Amino acid sequence: MGSEKNIPCVLYRYGTFSANSICSLINKTVWFADPRSFNDPFDCRFSILESSPKSFKMPAKLGAEVMVEKFNACKKGEEYDSSKEYRDKLEKALTEIGVLCLSSSNDNMLMWSHYADNHQGFCLGFRIMENDIFEARVVDYEGKYIEFRIEEFAENLEGYINDIIYNKASSWVYEEEYRIVIDIPDGDDSKRSVEWKNFMALDSIYFGYKMPGHHRDTIYNLFKSDSRIKIIEMEQVPGQLQVKLKN
C-alpha cells in the first residue's frame, strides 16, 4: 500500500488566489479537509453488505492508523442491531478525520486548470519532514468500490481502511496524489487549519502562467525575505500545449 512506496522529498499543493488562501499563507497553515467535501463523490465511500449475525460488535483493538483509532473510538465493544447502525458509526468516524491532498507534480496542465483557477492561481512545494503523526501516503488508482461484511471488516481492518482512504478511480490517476490524514476531534472545523511547520517546510512557490501581476506581487512580498524559498513563474512551452518552469 502507500507506506511501501518512497515518498518524494517535495510534494505540491495547488491553490487559487483568494482571501482565504492569502490568510493561510500569512499564517503558514494548510487545511485538512472533511472527506465529504471532496469533488469526487465516490472518494472515501463504502458499502456494508447484509450479514447473517443478528448483532455486531465494534472490535476492541483496531491498530494504530488514524481511521482505525476513530473506528475504535466509536464505542468499542458496543453492540449494534443492524448494519445501518454500524454504518452510521463508521460514517461519523469519517467526519472526524482531516485529509491534506498533495501531488508529486508541479507542472500538470489539468491540476493547474482544476485546482489553480485555470492557471491564474499558484502551487506550493513542501519539503516533507519525517513525522509519526503527519505521514504522507500515496493514493492507489485501482478503482475498487469498497464493499464488505461487518465480520470481514473486523478480520481485515487495516486493509479495508487503507482501501477507503487511499483508493480512487483510475480516471484520477493524473493527480499523482499523496495524502496526510490526521484526527479531528468531534469533527470540529476550527481544528482543520494546521501550521505546516509541524510536519513540512515551504520549499517553493510557483505562479500560474496566467496569474495577474498584482496577485504575484502580493504573494512575492510575503516571502521575499526568506532566501530558502524558491519563487518561480510558469510559462507555456513554445509550440506545445504544456507549461514549464520559467528559466
Side-chain angles (χ1 to χ4, degrees):
M1 206 62 193
S3 58
E4 299 173 356
K5 187 171 182 177
N6 291 333
I7 305 300
C9 293
V10 178
L11 292 173
Y12 302 95
R13 175 76 174 168
Y14 292 82
T16 61
F17 187 96
S18 67
N20 285 338
S21 65
I22 295 303
C23 183
S24 294
L25 290 175
I26 292 172
N27 294 319
K28 297 179 171 58
T29 60
V30 287
W31 183 260
F32 281 81
D34 181 335
R36 295 174 300 176
S37 69
F38 290 162
N39 57 355
D40 177 3
F42 301 108
D43 204 335
C44 293
R45 298 293 90 196
F46 60 90
S47 291
I48 297 178
L49 303 175
E50 289 300 319
S51 299
S52 54
K54 182 178 179 181
S55 62
F56 319 99
K57 285 191 175 183
M58 189 73 77
K61 182 174 177 55
L62 302 181
E65 293 284 346
V66 171
M67 278 297 291
V68 178
E69 292 173 354
K70 295 310 301 180
F71 290 156
N72 188 33
C74 292
K75 306 271 183 7
K76 55 188 174 186
E78 184 174 318
E79 288 194 354
Y80 302 102
D81 293 329
S82 69
S83 58
K84 179 182 183 304
E85 190 175 357
Y86 198 97
R87 178 189 175 85
D88 289 344
K89 291 291 183 180
L90 302 189
E91 288 282 7
K92 182 177 185 297
L94 273 175
T95 71
E96 296 180 348
I97 66 168
V99 183
L100 176 64
C101 302
L102 303 163
S103 173
S104 61
S105 172
N106 63 3
D107 61 357
N108 185 287
M109 288 289 289
L110 290 176
M111 295 291 282
W112 277 105
S113 294
H114 295 165
Y115 299 108
D117 192 20
N118 191 27
H119 298 259
Q120 297 180 89
F122 57 89
C123 177
L124 305 178
F126 290 104
R127 191 167 295 280
I128 306 300
M129 304 175 187
E130 290 188 12
N131 192 302
D132 292 335
I133 299 176
F134 299 89
E135 179 187 3
R137 301 188 62 170
V138 67
V139 169
D140 284 331
Y141 297 97
E142 299 175 10
K144 294 189 297 183
Y145 184 72
I146 310 305
E147 295 180 314
F148 56 84
R149 300 184 188 280
I150 294 173
E151 58 270 27
E152 295 171 347
F153 181 81
E155 294 170 358
N156 186 26
L157 291 165
E158 186 169 353
Y160 279 121
I161 289 166
N162 285 338
D163 284 344
I164 290 170
I165 301 176
Y166 302 103
N167 177 66
K168 295 186 71 172
S170 59
S171 54
W172 296 93
V173 68
Y174 71 89
E175 292 188 343
E176 301 177 52
E177 186 178 349
Y178 289 75
R179 290 180 169 178
I180 300 176
V181 180
I182 64 170
D183 179 23
I184 304 294
D186 300 318
D188 185 352
D189 284 348
S190 69
K191 295 181 172 63
R192 294 189 181 278
S193 184
V194 178
E195 290 185 83
W196 65 57
K197 69 179 181 180
N198 295 323
F199 58 101
M200 56 190 186
L202 184 59
D203 173 83
S204 45
I205 302 171
Y206 303 85
F207 296 147
Y209 90 98
K210 290 175 59 180
M211 191 177 198
H214 61 289
H215 288 176
R216 299 183 188 208
D217 292 341
T218 298
I219 296 178
Y220 175 78
N221 288 332
L222 291 176
F223 296 98
K224 64 182 180 182
S225 62
D226 192 337
S227 60
R228 297 169 299 177
I229 300 173
K230 300 182 288 290
I231 299 179
I232 302 166
E233 296 181 11
M234 303 299 292
E235 66 178 1
Q236 183 180 1
V237 178
Q240 296 184 34
L241 302 176
Q242 181 61 40
V243 292
K244 67 178 182 67
L245 280 60
K246 190 173 184 179
N247 294 328

